[in-house]
Amino acid sequence: MNAFLKGTFVLAFAAFLGELVEFLVNMILARELGKEGMGIYMSVLPIIFLIATVASLEFPISIAKFIAEHDRKEHRHMMKHATRFALFMTIIFFCLTAVVVFSFPVLSHYHPMLNRIVLIFIPIVAFSAILRGYFTGKNRMTTIAVSNFIRKAVQLTLLFLLFRTFSFESAELSMLAAVGALVGTEAVILIYFFFSYFTSLNVITKSHRPTLQPKEIRHKLLAVSLPTTGLRLFNALANAIQPFLIKKALVLSGMSMSVATQHFGILMGVAATIGFFPAFFAHSILVALIPAVSEAQIKQDSAKLQELLQQCMKMTFTYGIPSVVVMYVFAHPLTNLFFHSTEAVYYLQNLWPFFLFHYFSIPLQAYLIGLGLVKDGLYHTIWAHIISFGMIYLLGSQQEIGMHGIIMGLNAGAVLLMLLHYVTVCRAIGVTLILWRAKKT
């Protein structure tokens, strides 16, 4: 079994266990927060992820790509300057975020302590990102897999203890506890990465005289980090806007804001939680694929690039098709794990294209990053969201369509994004759309 497949299955196994725990996490949240509280939590979460995306500067991807493309003798020198650079950027972003959250009403509608928790999150995410990138580039997939499982397990434990120990009087306090558990979980992951990294220092070459200058290292990191951050930033920004856009469209269709928030909570807190459950395999492919594609690209190994694409497409077909069939057939018992809702059953069954094409888009995005085509991925994402958001607003705001229009918009965006990614990757590596024949030139 090659390194890519081995790394993928190690990550997938740990991610599967983690997703089972994630199910329990969301069940606790759904029952403790209620429909409206779940809607509030799902509205705040994209803002927190947006801040985390900027704070990490996509170092997990840029450092992983750098490590995979360079000799291990350069790794110690590179990690030292990457850490210094990350510290500098973290201080700047921390100060800017502090000014924004305390001067503008970004999170003023929620508990006042939420601002402070978000600020604490910034340095934790930044340094965790550096170490995650190092282990990914070194193909230490077991370390990444263990960290992913620890994240879910610790979050579940913290939520269980918080909601069992304390009786929160309002939805705001309950939501604050949920966000606090999320930040505490990331802190535990950072500690784990630190211990793992320092135990591996003895195998990182010390005596080698580095050939890369600090400026060159920063340039190489930013060449990947900036466009990748732009891509993730756009996704995070779109995800932060999406709750308000969906609720606004539903209000225009005739719903009250409270009812619209409940429907959004069911859509994202129940249907999307179930639908994205199988995506743990896609994310496992993504993590293993970036260093594999980067290494094959730097060696100009076209046969390896074609083989990797075939492997990730076959794996996605193998788990993706059965997953959406099971979700469609067993939608009722699956949604009842959270709470009884006929709307959740309908949303889950009719969003199958959104979930299925999302499974394919994730590894294809990793492929674009490995090939150095991040800008293409960004353009694809922008166009897909323009189409999706336009349909959500135009169709979802119609009284006779409402949530049906929201679902149509989500499905259309996912299909378009996957097709754009796929065609671009096939052209870049010189294969036809059916993959098994090299394109004649």
Side-chain angles (χ1 to χ4, degrees):
M1 186 184 298
N2 61 39
F4 166 65
L5 288 177
K6 183 178 179 180
T8 298
F9 285 117
V10 168
L11 288 167
F13 177 71
F16 174 71
L17 297 178
E19 287 300 317
L20 292 177
V21 178
E22 178 74 6
F23 243 85
L24 297 176
V25 167
N26 283 289
M27 287 170 63
I28 290 175
L29 289 173
R31 292 175 180 177
E32 295 292 339
L33 300 180
K35 292 182 180 180
E36 188 168 357
M38 195 68 170
I40 295 172
Y41 178 73
M42 288 297 173
S43 300
V44 171
L45 215 54
I47 299 174
I48 295 174
F49 288 154
L50 172 62
I51 293 172
T53 297
V54 180
S56 68
L57 262 180
E58 282 307 295
F59 281 131
I61 291 175
S62 61
I63 291 177
K65 185 173 171 62
F66 186 96
I67 291 287
E69 293 174 347
H70 290 80
D71 190 272
R72 70 184 185 90
K73 295 178 181 179
E74 297 286 347
H75 294 172
R76 175 182 285 270
H77 179 65
M78 174 263 175
M79 287 297 292
K80 180 177 71 174
H81 289 286
T83 304
R84 290 178 179 176
F85 180 60
L87 177 61
F88 174 72
M89 296 302 297
T90 300
I91 293 172
I92 292 178
F93 184 63
F94 183 92
C95 295
L96 290 175
T97 306
V99 171
V100 171
V101 298
F102 288 115
S103 302
F104 300 95
V106 181
L107 299 171
S108 61
H109 301 296
Y110 310 106
H111 196 280
M113 282 297 296
L114 186 61
N115 292 338
R116 293 170 176 80
I117 292 178
V118 167
L119 290 176
I120 294 171
F121 197 41
I122 292 172
I124 295 173
V125 168
F127 289 103
S128 178
I130 295 173
L131 296 172
R132 182 178 295 276
Y134 169 76
F135 290 120
T136 303
K138 293 287 288 182
N139 206 27
R140 291 268 299 273
M141 297 307 171
T142 302
T143 304
I144 300 298
V146 171
S147 73
N148 291 339
F149 178 74
I150 290 175
R151 171 181 283 107
K152 307 294 186 182
V154 171
Q155 186 181 13
L156 176 64
T157 303
L158 289 176
L159 286 172
F160 179 81
L161 291 175
L162 282 170
F163 286 116
R164 285 291 180 181
T165 306
F166 303 100
S167 178
F168 299 103
E169 299 176 354
S170 65
E172 280 192 354
L173 280 173
S174 297
M175 184 270 292
L176 184 68
V179 174
L182 181 68
V183 175
T185 299
E186 195 64 35
V188 173
I189 296 301
L190 178 59
I191 294 170
Y192 169 73
F193 277 150
F194 267 127
F195 276 111
S196 300
Y197 178 71
F198 285 120
T199 55
S200 69
L201 282 178
N202 60 330
V203 297
I204 303 178
T205 306
K206 297 179 181 179
S207 58
H208 172 69
R209 185 175 181 180
T211 58
L212 295 173
Q213 298 300 314
K215 185 177 180 180
E216 187 178 358
I217 292 173
R218 290 193 297 269
H219 175 75
K220 285 179 174 290
L221 291 177
L222 289 175
V224 178
S225 283
L226 289 181
T228 310
T229 300
L231 173 60
R232 288 291 299 274
L233 189 60
F234 180 82
N235 275 323
L237 184 62
N239 290 336
I241 293 172
Q242 188 185 68
F244 303 99
L245 179 68
I246 290 175
K247 288 186 284 187
K248 176 65 174 178
L250 293 176
V251 169
L252 291 175
S253 72
M255 292 186 188
S256 67
M257 179 56 74
S258 177
V259 173
T261 301
Q262 289 181 27
H263 277 275
F264 178 76
I266 295 170
L267 179 71
M268 292 301 174
V270 180
T273 296
I274 297 170
F276 287 137
F277 175 82
F280 72 86
F281 206 103
H283 287 288
S284 301
I285 298 173
L286 178 145
V287 175
L289 196 59
I290 291 174
V293 172
S294 299
E295 185 178 359
Q297 175 72 357
I298 207 72
K299 294 178 179 178
Q300 295 295 304
D301 190 345
S302 57
K304 183 66 174 178
L305 289 171
Q306 182 175 346
E307 180 188 1
L308 287 169
L309 183 58
Q310 289 173 336
Q311 286 176 339
C312 70
M313 289 294 100
K314 287 177 181 177
M315 286 189 288
T316 306
F317 267 111
T318 301
Y319 81 86
I321 301 298
S323 295
V324 295
V325 170
V326 168
M327 284 186 288
Y328 192 93
V329 174
F330 297 100
H332 194 274
L334 287 172
T335 54
N336 280 348
L337 292 173
F338 295 81
F339 40 68
H340 297 284
S341 171
T342 55
E343 292 90 351
V345 175
Y346 174 81
Y347 299 160
L348 180 60
Q349 289 179 330
N350 287 275
L351 280 171
W352 71 263
F354 177 62
F355 301 132
L356 179 61
F357 285 91
H358 180 77
Y359 304 154
F360 282 99
S361 295
I362 294 173
L364 289 172
Q365 179 180 309
Y367 218 102
L368 290 172
I369 293 170
L371 294 174
L373 300 175
V374 187
K375 290 183 180 178
D376 293 77
L378 176 59
Y379 297 147
H380 299 166
T381 305
I382 291 173
W383 277 111
H385 276 89
I386 288 174
I387 299 300
S388 178
F389 280 10
M391 291 182 65
I392 285 172
Y393 187 79
L394 292 175
L395 299 179
S397 60
Q398 302 299 314
Q399 187 174 2
E400 63 275 12
I401 302 178
M403 280 301 301
H404 308 287
I406 304 295
I407 291 172
M408 291 169 64
L410 292 172
N411 287 338
V415 173
L416 178 60
L417 181 62
M418 182 271 173
L419 292 176
L420 290 172
H421 281 354
Y422 182 70
V423 171
T424 301
V425 167
C426 288
R427 287 179 177 175
I429 65 175
V431 299
T432 62
L433 298 181
I434 54 177
L435 295 182
W436 63 71
R437 271 191 310 118
K439 185 171 62 177
K440 302 295 183 181
T441 57

